[in-house]
Amino acid sequence: MSGLGQSRAVSLVGLTGHVVEVQAHLAASVPGFTLVGLPDAALSEARDRVRAAVSSSGLSWPQRKITVNLAPAALPKSGSGFDLAIAVAMLAGARLVDASRVRDVVHLGELGLDGRLHPVRGVLPAVAAAVAAGFPDVVVPAPDVPEAQLVPGARVTGAATLAELAARYGADLDPVAVPDDPVVRPVPPLREPGGDLADVLGQPEARAALEVAAAGGHHLLLVGAPGTGKTMLASRLPGILPDLDEAAAVEVTAVHSVAGTFDASRGLVRRPPFEDPHHTATPAAVVGGGSGVPRPGAASRAHRGVLFLDEAPEFGGRVLDTLRQPLEHGEIVVHRAGGTARFPARFQLVLAANPCPCGLAVGKGLDCTCTPLARRRYLARLSGPLLDRVDVQVEVHPVRAVDRGQVGESTAVVGRRVAQARAAAAERLRGTPWRLNAEVPGRWLRDRLGPGLLGDVDRALERGTLSLRGADRVVRLAWTLADLAGRPAPERGDVGRALALRVRGGHRA
Ligand SMILES: [Zn+2]
């Protein structure tokens, strides 16, 4: 007697999910178990896990020739999330469960050898893809239920073990001891928001630069000696950015779901994330990759938030190079043998750097012990394509004694101004593809400036202290300063202040 069973799963490529049909064919022939449909190494291991889990669940393994096919074959399939769908399709083919109840149900989950269901990464985008494809009934491991339930329209069932699920589908189970305590999902560490801006004492120039960067979406370079508070400033940038809108929140949450850094008990991610990879990080850690289902790297986890590179010149040249793609295109493409995964990566970049290897070449730089060549080479590691995209470059100085008692404005106060400035820019840019001044070509903004405003910029160009690209950045910053001040267009003073935000003590900007 032969039998056919069918269930469904989701294959995730980047954040994009495709519903996969899992078909099991059982024939009266030499017993065996074959998986077909472009399985990668993890998928062949699924065979052993499914067999062990079925046996541990008190179900008898059919002594027949079992062939399981995952269709469409051309779709890349990675990871262990297909185990449950394979087991259910096989049980349906063997008529051990009610085949009609499982054929259009999407099953996600990895099986332990003891039959318990293990949580998987990427439940949110997988369930969203299932619902979008017209398959709203999904079964997920119990710990993944809160995440699956975030998808509107999904009808979610959780299960702790294969036996529990099989019994629900009508299996006549032998009374065996089956573990019924669910596998606990590791909760990613809570990333504390970076504290309040009021904690930053003094530093009026650096605080202003941070506010301008937030308001216009500008990338930011902070140059200063060690211990001047660059990290403290950078970590307060997400706090003054507005909440994510609904579409961005879903996208950011999906990235963190696939990364395994999302805690569903706190709902969708609605605040801009903050990622600060260490300078020893590999290119894969920063842009993503890994075996099985590719993981988003720090640059993607910072999507719609802030990517902070402390001691930026110490990062490997390859890591800095890999950031060009997301800075230009807002996404990262991870090439795999089985296909190409895309992760969104539209972040605000904050670079912090010492001015030179010894760290003392600030201001007049009299204490610096580095050779002129070493000094030039140090920041030059950041130069070119990366630094070209950084609109705001400021020096951060040690807090002066007179400023120590001075409490600056809070995150809430500055955040309100940033939100108003962003709203003004969005209004002006209505009907264009841009929302933030940092995204707009300099030319477009220059053409909308009043006459005679760029005298200082032209003189800086003539003196050679400003490049043409630098001049564009000054114009963008002038608009952001006007937006922050509630002016309809920049005035001469805005242009002057914009120049100051660009030119670090005598460096050509
Ligand atoms: Zn030095």
Side-chain angles (χ1 to χ4, degrees):
M1 176 190 124
S2 74
L4 270 176
Q6 189 195 296
S7 166
R8 292 183 193 267
V10 172
S11 162
L12 265 189
V13 184
L15 298 189
T16 311
H18 303 274
V19 174
V20 170
E21 226 177 77
V22 183
Q23 304 145 339
H25 181 251
L26 283 75
S29 180
V30 184
F33 185 23
T34 314
L35 275 175
V36 289
L38 265 196
D40 69 4
L43 208 46
S44 356
E45 289 165 13
R47 223 167 42 141
D48 302 332
R49 284 195 302 267
V50 168
R51 191 195 281 271
V54 167
S55 305
S56 308
S57 303
L59 295 148
S60 51
W61 184 262
Q63 291 306 311
R64 283 188 273 171
K65 183 180 187 317
I66 305 167
T67 309
V68 175
N69 179 36
L70 277 66
L75 205 62
K77 301 174 197 77
S78 299
S80 48
F82 299 100
D83 290 2
L84 184 59
I86 292 168
V88 168
M90 196 280 295
L91 294 176
R95 298 294 176 264
L96 291 170
V97 300
D98 183 348
S100 68
R101 287 177 58 192
V102 304
R103 45 173 303 121
D104 288 327
V105 177
V106 170
H107 294 88
L108 307 173
E110 178 182 326
L111 285 170
L113 302 180
D114 59 1
R116 290 196 297 176
L117 292 185
H118 290 247
V120 290
R121 287 189 280 129
V123 164
L124 183 96
V127 172
V131 171
F135 300 100
D137 292 300
V138 293
V139 175
V140 298
D144 285 332
V145 168
E147 183 173 335
Q149 281 173 335
L150 290 174
V151 179
R155 290 194 291 262
V156 180
T157 307
T161 65
L162 179 62
E164 175 196 336
L165 184 64
R168 224 180 289 157
Y169 285 146
D172 182 19
L173 278 171
D174 293 339
V176 292
V178 171
D180 56 0
D181 47 328
V183 177
V184 177
R185 180 182 170 137
V187 177
L190 178 64
R191 297 220 55 168
E192 291 292 345
D196 201 280
L197 204 51
D199 306 338
V200 178
L201 303 178
Q203 307 281 20
E205 300 90 359
R207 291 176 60 110
L210 201 69
E211 180 172 339
V212 169
H218 306 281
H219 303 310
L220 171 66
L221 169 65
L222 302 166
V223 179
T228 45
K230 302 188 293 285
T231 302
M232 193 179 185
L233 280 159
S235 64
R236 276 144 181 85
L237 177 54
I240 57 174
L241 296 175
D243 281 344
L244 304 177
D245 63 26
E246 189 68 19
V250 169
E251 210 173 33
V252 170
T253 306
V255 170
H256 285 266
S257 164
V258 176
T261 51
F262 167 55
D263 179 1
S265 68
R266 302 205 297 273
L268 289 183
V269 179
R270 295 194 182 275
R271 292 293 305 154
F274 180 78
E275 291 289 331
D276 55 348
H278 190 257
H279 62 73
T280 55
T282 62
V286 174
V287 296
S291 60
V293 178
R295 276 175 203 265
S300 279
R301 296 196 305 272
H303 181 52
R304 301 290 176 192
V306 174
L307 179 67
F308 175 50
L309 305 187
D310 196 10
E311 301 189 50
E314 305 289 342
F315 277 75
R318 277 177 55 226
V319 172
L320 297 174
D321 269 350
T322 53
L323 290 175
R324 289 164 60 176
Q325 186 188 48
L327 285 172
E328 273 168 42
H329 304 292
E331 68 169 9
I332 284 165
V333 182
V334 182
H335 295 286
R336 316 295 303 245
T340 298
R342 288 168 189 280
F343 293 111
R346 201 172 286 284
F347 50 80
Q348 206 167 340
L349 182 65
V350 180
L351 304 168
N354 295 334
C356 63
C358 85
L360 298 174
V362 281
K364 291 194 175 125
L366 298 177
D367 297 329
C368 169
T369 57
C370 308
T371 65
L373 181 65
R375 255 198 318 268
R376 266 203 310 281
R377 280 198 181 148
Y378 192 67
L379 284 181
R381 290 185 205 168
L382 298 177
S383 72
L386 201 57
L387 225 44
D388 263 352
R389 297 179 180 278
V390 178
D391 285 345
V392 186
Q393 303 189 2
V394 288
E395 274 190 1
V396 183
H397 300 283
V399 181
R400 289 168 301 185
V402 291
D403 289 337
R404 284 193 195 279
Q406 177 195 330
V407 175
E409 287 174 310
S410 68
T411 289
V413 170
V414 177
R416 268 197 295 279
R417 250 187 338 256
V418 166
Q420 280 162 7
R422 283 188 167 220
E427 179 62 28
R428 175 174 63 253
L429 296 170
R430 200 135 55 120
T432 74
W434 315 297
R435 288 289 163 276
L436 296 165
N437 290 330
E439 300 164 350
V440 187
R443 166 102 210 222
W444 195 92
L445 289 171
R446 199 163 49 234
D447 290 349
R448 281 153 185 79
L449 276 183
L453 283 179
L454 292 178
D456 292 341
V457 171
D458 291 340
R459 271 189 293 284
L461 277 169
E462 279 161 27
R463 275 203 308 273
T465 52
L466 196 66
S467 66
L468 276 173
R469 278 167 171 274
D472 275 354
R473 289 189 281 264
V474 169
V475 171
R476 282 199 288 268
L477 291 176
W479 277 97
T480 299
L481 287 161
D483 289 337
L484 275 169
R487 285 190 276 277
E491 294 170 357
R492 202 178 175 100
D494 295 319
V495 176
R497 273 188 294 278
L499 262 169
L501 284 170
R502 266 306 298 177
V503 185
R504 289 179 286 112
H507 297 267
R508 190 173 193 268

